[in-house]
Amino acid sequence: MSWASSIIGGRPARARLAWAGLAAGAIATVVLAVTLSHDRLFHGNTLLAAPAAPEAKPAAAAAPTTVELTAEKIKAAGLRTEPVKAMALPTVVSVPGTIEVNVDRRVAIRPRVAGIIREVHVILGQKVEAGEPLVTLDSADLGTARLNLRARQLELATARRDAEFKATVAANVAELLKALEKGAPAAQLEKQFADKDLGSRRSELLSAYADLGVASHEETIAARLVQNNVYGPHKAEVTMHVREGKQATFEGIRDQVRFDVRQQKLLADEQVVRAEAAVIDAAQRLRILGAPVGKVDLNAEAKNPTAAEDVTAYTIVAPFDGTITARAAVLSQRSEPADATPLFMLADLDTVRVVAHVYESDFAALPGGPGEPLRLTSAAFPGRTFEAKVIDVGKEVEPTSRTVRLLGEAPNPEGKLRPNMPVRVEFDGPADAPSPTVPAAAVVEIDGKAGVFLPEKDGRHFTFHPVKPGRESAGRRAVLSGLADGRPVVADGAFVLKSELILQNEPEEE
């Protein structure tokens, strides 16, 4: 054992560890010194020197901005070019607005007559067509009115039959009187008019005519006998006076019959007129109560009542196409015209109104009047624009808000615009100074840069050209810089070129 080891070995364990650490540190110092001397002598550098900077990589090449399309692709894409045009685009004013129901196409459904609800045919939110039943009630008042109409129709039918009979009698009597004036034999007349209605004084008239004929005959014979001196003049005078009496009796009866048949016909015609008026009044009563009556045909025959007919049924139908926006009708509920709450609220939502308030700073841009175009946008439908038109521009400034009310109307066939929905109302104001413009569809954005595609002379290559776009109006986009008037740009198909360019610049997969 060496001296060092005997000393270390003779010490405690902690002392031995300390000596071992000192020995290791000394050895490491010697190795480091030898290494530094070697590097300095043979390599000219040391380990402490900074490592050499790596070689700089070459910068990535810019992505191509030109895309080439075949003739087939150009045709399929529907590419169309249009030169840049200098135009004065109108300013666009945007104000908040609210969708409202078209008050001209909204109605509260109430009964016109009291009744008990028997059946409800629709539900809340249901779309209905004009004439579609909404609710059916049992109404005693309506039943009474229907029965009254039927009674008046029966009276009219009776009056018509009576008038027709009286007209027939009058015509037959007139024909008989003509025959009597011609002096036709009584027996012939009796046979000729045996089957014809002549009224209640038929026999009296014909009897008087026969008596007149006999008296006339006797007068003729007496006159002949007096002429032959068979009788004296007295006999002729007697027969003459008898004939004159019979003639007066006949003419009196004839004139009275003529008057009676005419008077009876007039009274029958007047009764028909009164019966027709009564039918019309009864039908109008039904219309007042809201019952569908239709056109009253005064010449139609009255129908006999049937036990199965439901005269108390009162069905209310939709007055126009629309949507049930509120419902209060309940089965077995009594409903009256004066009820505060209507049975239904029906609204036609195919067209809606929009109300906006234009601030004082935009008064100069207000539309000129009805018919001017409006554009509506909503946060509920991003990117969607709804067309509308002006109905009215307020003539007064509201003193509190200092705004002018703008009222418009918009078609709403899809039902997207709902009442009370907030929207933005846009309209065009005065035009700015002319500036280069392109179709709005010509401007696309690639990698955050807006630009247009310029066609090359060969017609197959199209280059993306960055521009600084301005605002858009009337389907065109202002170009603040980057294009000159007359330069052709791709107006239709720019998004196809954008897609082709993006696909072209994508790295190929290994």
Side-chain angles (χ1 to χ4, degrees), residues 213-243:
V214 171
S216 298
H217 180 67
E218 289 181 352
E219 181 184 16
T220 302
I221 293 175
R224 188 181 303 166
L225 293 174
V226 169
Q227 187 178 5
N228 294 330
N229 297 318
V230 176
Y231 292 124
H234 177 70
K235 184 65 174 180
E237 290 181 1
V238 170
T239 57
M240 181 187 68
H241 290 308
V242 171
R243 191 267 308 164

Side-chain angles (χ1 to χ4, degrees), residues 158-507:
T158 302
R160 285 191 183 280
R161 287 192 296 269
D162 184 59
E164 290 174 0
F165 175 76
K166 298 296 177 54
T168 301
V169 170
N172 292 338
V173 169
E175 184 181 355
L176 174 62
L177 294 178
K178 287 181 180 180
L180 294 176
E181 291 174 358
K182 292 179 180 179
Q188 179 184 344
L189 295 177
E190 187 69 31
K191 183 177 180 181
Q192 181 181 351
F193 289 92
D195 298 331
K196 294 184 178 181
D197 293 322
L198 296 173
S200 61
R201 305 192 69 177
R202 170 196 183 100
S203 60
E204 185 179 359
L205 178 62
L206 292 176
S207 178
Y209 180 72
D211 292 343
L212 175 61
V214 171
S216 298
H217 180 67
E218 289 181 352
E219 181 184 16
T220 302
I221 293 175
R224 188 181 303 166
L225 293 174
V226 169
Q227 187 178 5
N228 294 330
N229 297 318
V230 176
Y231 292 124
H234 177 70
K235 184 65 174 180
E237 290 181 1
V238 170
T239 57
M240 181 187 68
H241 290 308
V242 171
R243 191 267 308 164
E244 289 177 349
K246 297 295 183 181
Q247 184 173 358
T249 301
F250 165 72
E251 290 178 354
I253 295 174
R254 181 196 62 188
D255 293 342
Q256 186 64 43
V257 168
R258 181 185 288 117
F259 173 80
D260 289 345
V261 296
R262 288 180 179 177
Q263 189 68 16
Q264 290 172 4
K265 184 178 181 303
L266 289 175
L267 292 176
D269 291 341
E270 290 179 1
Q271 185 62 30
V272 170
V273 172
R274 287 195 294 269
E276 289 177 347
V279 169
I280 293 175
D281 290 345
Q284 294 293 357
R285 172 62 179 168
L286 275 177
R287 289 194 180 98
I288 293 173
L289 297 178
V293 178
K295 183 179 180 180
V296 178
D297 187 2
L298 297 177
N299 296 318
E301 294 184 2
K303 296 181 180 180
N304 293 324
T306 60
E309 186 176 0
D310 191 357
V311 296
T312 63
Y314 174 32
T315 300
I316 303 177
V317 300
F320 51 77
D321 296 352
T323 303
I324 302 298
T325 58
R327 170 189 161 175
V330 179
L331 290 178
S332 300
Q333 167 188 328
R334 181 173 179 81
S335 180
E336 297 187 7
D339 288 343
T341 303
L343 297 177
F344 304 97
M345 288 296 296
L346 177 67
D348 181 5
L349 300 181
D350 285 342
T351 60
V352 292
R353 299 284 174 86
V354 56
V355 179
H357 296 275
V358 181
Y359 293 100
E360 186 176 5
S361 58
D362 295 321
F363 283 178
L366 279 168
E372 294 290 327
L374 299 173
R375 297 178 297 276
L376 311 180
T377 58
S378 172
F381 305 101
R384 177 80 179 270
T385 300
F386 301 89
E387 301 298 328
K389 63 179 180 180
V390 175
I391 295 180
D392 179 64
V393 180
K395 305 301 185 294
E396 298 181 356
V397 177
E398 296 183 3
T400 303
S401 61
R402 301 190 64 83
T403 60
V404 168
R405 182 174 178 268
L406 181 62
L407 179 64
E409 184 175 87
N412 190 35
E414 302 176 76
K416 300 291 186 183
L417 300 176
R418 293 173 169 82
N420 302 317
M421 174 187 288
V423 293
R424 298 293 301 183
V425 182
E426 296 181 356
F427 54 90
D428 296 332
D432 290 338
S435 62
T437 65
V438 297
V443 180
V444 295
E445 186 173 316
I446 300 178
D447 294 335
K449 295 182 180 179
V452 297
F453 280 94
L454 305 179
E456 301 295 340
K457 293 182 178 180
D458 60 5
R460 295 183 298 105
H461 291 81
F462 303 88
T463 302
F464 179 72
H465 181 72
V467 297
K468 184 179 180 182
R471 61 185 180 82
E472 179 181 342
S473 179
R476 299 193 67 83
R477 191 77 176 268
V479 178
L480 303 181
S481 63
L483 284 178
D485 291 349
R487 180 68 183 272
V489 299
V490 175
D492 294 333
F495 280 98
V496 176
L497 295 176
K498 171 184 175 180
S499 301
E500 291 287 337
L501 183 60
I502 292 174
L503 291 174
Q504 173 182 297
N505 294 336
E506 285 185 353

Side-chain angles (χ1 to χ4, degrees), residues 21-40 47:
L22 291 175
I27 295 171
T29 301
V30 174
V31 172
L32 178 59
V34 172
T35 302
L36 291 175
S37 300
H38 173 79
D39 289 341
R40 188 180 295 110
L47 293 174

Side-chain angles (χ1 to χ4, degrees), residues 106-191:
R106 179 180 61 182
V107 63
I109 305 296
R110 288 185 172 89
R112 296 185 182 180
V113 60
I116 305 298
I117 296 178
R118 178 197 299 180
E119 185 177 1
V120 181
H121 303 283
V122 294
I123 61 175
L124 182 63
Q126 180 177 337
K127 289 187 176 182
V128 297
E129 298 180 354
E132 185 173 343
L134 304 179
V135 63
T136 299
L137 296 84
D138 280 319
S139 173
D141 294 339
L142 191 64
T144 302
R146 284 196 175 115
L147 294 175
N148 178 58
L149 173 60
R150 178 180 296 161
R152 303 291 83 75
Q153 289 174 330
L154 291 173
E155 290 177 358
L156 174 59
T158 302
R160 285 191 183 280
R161 287 192 296 269
D162 184 59
E164 290 174 0
F165 175 76
K166 298 296 177 54
T168 301
V169 170
N172 292 338
V173 169
E175 184 181 355
L176 174 62
L177 294 178
K178 287 181 180 180
L180 294 176
E181 291 174 358
K182 292 179 180 179
Q188 179 184 344
L189 295 177
E190 187 69 31
K191 183 177 180 181

